[in-house]
């Protein structure tokens, strides 16, 4: 039929034209934007700032009326804060690509990727008065600076601890053995952090138990070392009840007894304790992975002055104390301990203790432990291996 | 007695309607059928083609691009690497088989549950009961997917109601895992299977059932020779829903699946975690290919007319 054919032709033509137009629009590579310059002076506040952070880092009292270090900032600077929380570092890296955020609180496994992608700008620490009080052992590390150029302000730090059910697991474990070689005893009730970076936890265990592998840094693994870590995790896999990345999911699993041992954060134990669950945490003798988070500014930030104001605010002893205490981690400065009574529990300022924690760092082909004779396994391969481990 | 004067209608001249723009447009459209058609279809076609199909095709095209492993930027070089990885990788084969297995199990369970319910609703129940049952089947659809999935997480947990009920019988909850995933998905998709089968069975004339009885057909003979052949396209229509919905699901397996992952999880982690959109698009092609294969297979049964 004449009309039907006409319509069909028109439809096909419209589809083809539409596709071509849209394909042409996005057919070219955008290319990575070359790193933005660091700011040399501050201007007027823009009136708002948008922040991407871990849950519990930007609290304005809406979750818990007693917890609020945002309103005072808004009153002081006039910068209205909008914030979004994310669940994993990988999610943060994805979200920063949208360009919707001025500030991000990134852990060490995300920072280098953000810097390399040109998503964050160098930070001029001279414009941040409170930067001076920050512990020296947190400054200019491989996860928050490149070639001596600072890319942000340290927030706080903590370890990925071993959480266990005190009714089911006795005596209290002192080693990661319970979730690796000894996992069969609690088969099906072991839990592990659901992220490629968890491979480093296996590497930390191997450092102590298979010294002949020669692992110096869990984030600098050559092929052999990496394969050993992956094998360890594949052996662990049948005993894992579930992997967690949503911390509420882990809390529920430990409350109901579906999980009895696995990695955790102090904040999770705090919640469990508050709800009367029979759980406890320990920093095992092998040491642990951990995180030292960095507040960074987006290279395309629309509100850079409010962003600098936020960085200064969150580094101030009082705000830093509130934020790190709420999350359950050590603060970034000694002065912050004046506003907290639990600093000792987190070994705040204890550089020796801090040095036992292997802070999350993005694994890259140039080994971060300084070896030059081998090539290390990069994060893309960690991601692939992680999917394979889970099977 | 005088008759009222009849109005001579012929003598009244109806003034021509004023030539408003609307009237002019209407006159134009009535004489130009193709313009009329174009105006009618432009908006829906735009939606269907640009918003619906092109967007999907564009997403799938990224399967032929790659990602810079460190910065995470998409590099628009044409490459088949992702497709090759997905087709040859042992991981993807295992997960594809697992996902297919779950989808098939869910479909079988749902059809087995839906057939008797739908038959009762269509052929046995009183009209009042029928209405009540339709509402009862639809009811779970009014609650959020997440609420239902998390409800099953509580039911299946070590301290859940299932353990409480089964423990006296010496049985235990399956815990989190593939069994839990199959149970939860079967629960979630059951209404989508019952409704098409119910609609199909309603169309089977009662007279055929009576004719079968008159000819001496027993219940099972009638079901086997009359009802099932006539309801077959409707059953297939129902399976398309449960099968395709299970193939694409990742939330349920994330909530109750323990350490297991399905194709949807691989897509999700590659988009959200690994930020590897090209690989995710390549993985997403697997369920699309499977479901197109299934549709091609069932096209001749007439099932698609029932959707």
């Amino acid at each position: 039929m004449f009309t039907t054919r006409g319509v069909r032709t028109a439809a096909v033509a419209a589809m083809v034209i539409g596709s071509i137009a849209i394909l042409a629009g996005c057919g070219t590579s955008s290319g990575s934007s070359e790193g933005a310059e660091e700011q040399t002076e501050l201007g007027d506040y823009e009136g708002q700032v948008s922040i991407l952070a871990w849950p519990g880092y930007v609290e304005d009292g809406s979750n818990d009326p007693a917890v609020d270090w945002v309103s005072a900032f808004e009153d002081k600077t006039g910068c209205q804060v909008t914030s979004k929380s994310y669940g994993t570092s990988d999610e943060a890296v994805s979200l920063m690509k949208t360009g919707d955020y001025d500030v991000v609180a990134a852990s060490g496994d995300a920072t280098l990727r953000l810097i390399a992608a040109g998503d964050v700008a160098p930070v001029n620490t001279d414009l941040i008065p409170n930067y001076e009080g920050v512990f020296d052992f947190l400054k200019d590390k491989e996860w928050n600076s490149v070639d001596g150029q600072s890319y942000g302000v340290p927030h706080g730090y903590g370890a990925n601890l071993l959480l266990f059910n005190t009714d089911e697991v006795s005596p209290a474990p002192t080693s990661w053995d319970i979730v690796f070689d000894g996992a069969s005893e609690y088969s099906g009730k072991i839990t592990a952090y659901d992220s490629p970076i968890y491979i480093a936890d296996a590497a930390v265990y191997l450092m102590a138990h298979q010294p002949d592998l020669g692992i110096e840094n869990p984030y600098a693994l050559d092929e052999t070392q990496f394969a050993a870590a992956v094998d360890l995790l594949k052996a662990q896999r049948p005993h894992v009840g579930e992997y967690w990345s949503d911390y509420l999911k882990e809390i529920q699993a430990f409350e109901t007894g579906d999980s009895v041992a696995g990695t955790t954060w102090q904040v999770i134990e705090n919640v469990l304790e508050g709800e009367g669950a029979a759980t406890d945490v320990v920093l095992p003798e092998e040491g642990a992975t951990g995180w030292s988070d960095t507040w960074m500014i987006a290279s395309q930030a629309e509100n850079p002055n409010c962003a600098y104001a936020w960085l200064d605010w969150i580094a101030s002893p009082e705000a830093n104390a509130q934020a790190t205490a709420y999350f359950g981690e050590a603060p970034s400065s000694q002065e912050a301990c004046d506003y907290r009574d639990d600093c000792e529990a987190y070994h705040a300022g204890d550089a020796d203790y801090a040095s036992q924690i292997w802070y999350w760092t993005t694994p890259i082909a140039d080994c971060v432990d300084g070896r030059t004779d081998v090539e290390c396994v990069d994060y893309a391969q960690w991601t692939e291996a992680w999917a394979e481990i889970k099977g | 007695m005088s008759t009222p004067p009849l109005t001579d209608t012929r003598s009244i001249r109806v003034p021509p309607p004023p030539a408003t723009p609307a009237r002019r447009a209407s006159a134009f459209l009535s004489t130009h059928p193709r313009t009329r058609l174009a105006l009618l279809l432009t908006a829906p076609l735009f939606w269907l083609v640009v918003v619906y199909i092109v967007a999907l095709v564009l997403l799938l095209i990224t399967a032929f691009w790659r990602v810079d492993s460190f910065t995470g930027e998409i590099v628009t070089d044409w490459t088949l690497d992702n497709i090759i990885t997905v087709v040859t990788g042992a991981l993807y084969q295992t997960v594809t088989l697992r996902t297919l297995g779950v989808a098939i199990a869910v479909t079988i369970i749902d059809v087995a549950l839906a057939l008797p319910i739908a038959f009762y609703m269509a052929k046995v129940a009183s009209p009042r009961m029928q209405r009540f049952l339709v509402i009862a089947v639809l009811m779970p659809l009014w609650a959020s997917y997440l609420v239902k999935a998390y409800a099953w997480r509580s039911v299946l947990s070590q301290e859940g109601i299932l353990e409480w009920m089964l423990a006296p019988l010496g049985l235990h909850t399956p815990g989190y895992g593939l069994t839990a995933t199959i149970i939860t998905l079967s629960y979630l998709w059951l209404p989508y299977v019952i409704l098409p089968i119910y609609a199909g069975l309603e169309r089977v004339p009662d007279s055929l059932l009576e004719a079968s009885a008159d000819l001496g057909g027993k219940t099972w003979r009638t079901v086997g020779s009359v009802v099932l052949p006539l309801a077959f396209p409707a059953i297939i229509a129902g399976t398309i829903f449960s099968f395709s919905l299970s193939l694409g699901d990742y939330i349920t397996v994330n909530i109750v699946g323990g350490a297991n992952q399905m194709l949807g999880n691989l897509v999700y982690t590659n988009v959200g975690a690994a930020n590897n959109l090209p690989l995710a698009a390549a993985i997403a092609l697997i369920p699309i290919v499977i479901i197109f294969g299934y549709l091609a297979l069932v096209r001749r049964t007439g099932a698609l007319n029932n959707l």
Side-chain angles (χ1 to χ4, degrees):
Chain A
M1 283 269 292
F2 169 75
T3 329
T4 332
R5 263 188 71 186
V7 169
R8 200 175 293 158
T9 322
V12 171
M15 198 150 116
V16 169
I17 293 169
S19 320
I20 292 171
I22 294 174
L23 276 179
C26 64
T28 49
S29 244
S30 51
S32 72
S33 45
E34 275 310 309
E37 294 292 305
E38 70 167 30
Q39 222 163 320
T40 49
E41 56 186 17
L42 290 179
D44 294 333
Y45 294 138
E46 293 87 354
Q48 71 273 327
V49 60
S50 70
I51 299 175
L52 182 65
W54 288 103
Y57 272 26
V58 184
E59 292 295 319
D60 59 3
S62 51
N63 287 331
D64 179 350
V67 182
D68 178 6
W69 52 91
V70 170
S71 301
F73 169 76
E74 290 177 337
D75 292 344
K76 188 181 152 214
T77 62
C79 299
Q80 291 300 312
V81 173
T82 51
S83 70
K84 177 174 172 63
S85 66
Y86 60 84
T88 62
S89 290
D90 304 305
E91 201 182 330
V93 173
S94 294
L95 283 171
M96 276 307 283
K97 293 198 182 303
T98 63
D100 291 345
Y101 306 97
D102 299 312
V103 176
V104 59
S107 293
D109 56 335
T111 48
L112 285 183
R113 281 185 277 161
L114 290 169
I115 295 169
D119 290 334
V120 291
V123 168
N124 186 346
T125 50
D126 294 343
L127 301 178
I128 301 169
N130 283 315
Y131 186 74
E132 213 188 325
V134 172
F135 292 127
D136 281 334
F137 62 84
L138 293 177
K139 289 178 182 172
D140 297 326
K141 293 294 175 187
E142 62 259 40
W143 60 85
N144 59 22
S145 67
V146 172
D147 300 333
Q149 167 65 59
S150 171
Y151 274 84
V153 175
H155 174 72
Y157 60 99
N160 295 313
L161 303 163
L162 173 59
L163 176 65
F164 61 96
N165 184 319
T166 48
D167 290 343
E168 304 271 330
V169 184
S170 69
T174 56
S175 159
W176 286 114
D177 191 58
I178 183 174
V179 299
F180 290 118
D181 290 329
S184 52
E185 196 177 338
Y186 302 101
S187 190
K189 297 194 169 187
I190 300 294
T191 189
Y193 187 54
D194 189 359
S195 163
I197 207 71
Y198 184 68
I199 294 172
D201 287 58
V204 168
Y205 179 77
L206 289 176
M207 269 163 87
H209 293 266
Q210 290 189 35
D212 47 318
L213 281 169
I215 299 176
E216 296 286 325
N217 181 320
Y219 306 100
L221 303 176
D222 60 36
E223 293 286 349
T224 325
Q225 298 164 340
F226 187 72
V230 169
D231 286 345
L232 182 63
L233 291 171
K234 280 185 176 163
Q236 180 200 41
R237 167 69 179 76
H239 308 301
V240 172
E242 64 181 356
Y243 294 98
W244 69 275
S245 58
D246 173 355
Y247 77 114
L248 295 172
K249 199 170 147 189
E250 179 172 51
I251 291 170
Q252 194 241 352
F254 270 86
E255 276 178 341
T256 57
D258 287 294
S259 297
V260 300
T263 44
T264 195
W265 301 328
Q266 182 69 43
V267 63
I268 291 173
E269 165 62 10
N270 292 351
V271 174
L272 282 168
E273 216 167 86
E275 297 185 1
T279 55
D280 202 357
V281 288
V282 63
L283 178 67
E285 61 203 15
E286 293 94 350
T289 58
W291 72 94
S292 168
D293 295 347
T294 307
W295 288 98
M296 308 179 108
I297 296 178
S299 51
Q300 310 291 333
E302 282 171 25
N303 309 296
N305 298 310
C306 276
Y308 266 94
W310 174 262
L311 260 59
D312 187 46
W313 174 258
I314 201 70
S316 69
E318 199 173 350
N320 190 262
Q322 285 178 287
T324 53
Y326 181 66
F327 190 82
E329 60 186 321
S332 66
S333 65
Q334 195 58 53
E335 289 74 29
C337 282
D338 297 344
Y339 298 92
R340 284 178 65 170
D341 48 14
D342 55 353
C343 259
E344 268 176 39
Y346 294 99
H347 303 264
D350 181 344
D352 283 342
Y353 178 88
S355 68
Q356 285 168 26
I357 302 172
W358 292 101
Y359 297 108
W360 283 346
T361 309
T362 312
I364 51 177
D366 301 333
C367 300
V368 291
D369 63 356
R371 282 184 294 173
T372 49
D373 52 331
V374 286
E375 193 158 275
C376 283
V377 180
D378 70 11
Y379 192 69
Q381 286 166 275
W382 283 49
T383 312
E384 259 170 57
W386 183 243
E388 254 167 55
I389 288 163
K390 293 207 297 175
Chain B
M1 183 170 162
S2 60
T3 50
L6 286 169
T7 318
D8 182 0
T9 49
R10 280 168 303 173
S11 67
I12 296 177
R13 296 202 45 194
V14 179
T20 59
R23 194 164 283 281
R24 262 199 304 259
S26 148
F28 176 81
L29 283 180
S30 73
T31 52
H32 294 78
R34 298 183 71 182
T35 318
R36 201 168 63 210
L37 198 63
L39 282 177
L40 188 68
L41 288 182
T42 303
L45 267 185
F46 175 81
W47 178 264
L48 187 71
V49 174
V50 176
V51 180
Y52 202 84
I53 296 177
V54 173
L56 193 63
V57 169
L58 275 181
L59 189 70
L60 295 178
I61 280 178
T62 55
F64 299 96
W65 291 341
R66 64 183 182 84
V67 149
D68 184 309
S69 63
F70 191 59
T71 62
E73 304 282 343
I74 289 180
V75 184
T76 52
D77 303 335
W78 298 95
T79 166
L80 282 174
D81 287 357
N82 295 311
I83 307 287
I84 293 169
T85 308
V86 165
V87 172
T88 59
L91 166 70
Y92 304 104
Q93 290 167 359
T94 316
V95 176
T96 301
L97 286 181
R98 180 183 303 141
T99 310
L100 257 181
V102 168
I104 291 171
V106 168
T107 303
I108 292 173
I109 291 172
D110 273 353
V111 169
L113 291 174
L115 264 179
I117 298 176
F119 185 79
Y120 179 79
M121 281 163 69
K123 292 291 164 214
V124 183
S126 65
R128 203 187 149 87
M129 190 61 181
Q130 203 173 348
R131 265 201 306 279
F132 169 76
L133 283 173
V134 170
I135 293 174
V137 168
L138 284 173
M139 194 108 75
L141 292 182
W142 299 337
S144 150
Y145 175 112
L146 279 179
V147 170
K148 289 181 282 187
Y150 273 109
W152 275 101
R153 187 175 162 89
S154 315
V155 168
L156 294 162
S157 105
Q158 297 293 332
E159 290 181 1
I161 187 166
L162 200 63
E163 178 73 23
W164 177 77
M165 286 193 315
L166 291 179
L169 307 172
L171 298 170
H172 292 284
T173 167
Y176 305 142
L178 280 186
T179 316
T181 309
I182 292 170
I183 293 173
T184 309
L185 286 178
S186 303
Y187 167 83
L188 286 170
W189 310 146
L190 188 59
Y192 298 95
V193 183
I194 292 179
L195 291 175
I197 297 182
Y198 162 67
L201 284 174
E202 253 212 325
R203 266 186 267 160
V204 174
D206 288 341
S207 56
L208 289 184
L209 305 186
E210 284 157 14
S212 172
D214 288 347
L215 291 169
K218 298 261 167 37
T219 312
W220 289 112
R221 182 65 201 265
T222 308
V223 167
S225 301
V226 181
V227 177
L228 279 184
L230 286 170
F232 187 65
I235 296 172
I236 296 292
T239 63
I240 292 173
F241 283 115
S242 61
F243 186 68
S244 63
L245 288 170
S246 305
L247 272 188
D249 189 79
Y250 73 98
I251 303 173
T252 294
V253 68
N254 203 5
I255 294 173
V256 299
N260 291 292
Q261 49 185 357
M262 284 172 42
L263 283 174
N265 301 89
L266 290 181
V267 173
Y268 176 75
T269 46
N270 273 296
V271 175
N275 195 37
N276 192 340
L277 197 60
L279 186 59
I283 299 169
L285 286 171
I286 300 176
I288 292 178
V289 167
I290 292 176
I291 200 70
F292 269 94
Y294 186 60
L295 289 180
L297 202 69
V298 302
R299 194 167 56 99
R300 284 162 183 272
T301 64
L304 302 185
N305 305 333
N306 269 297
L307 291 181

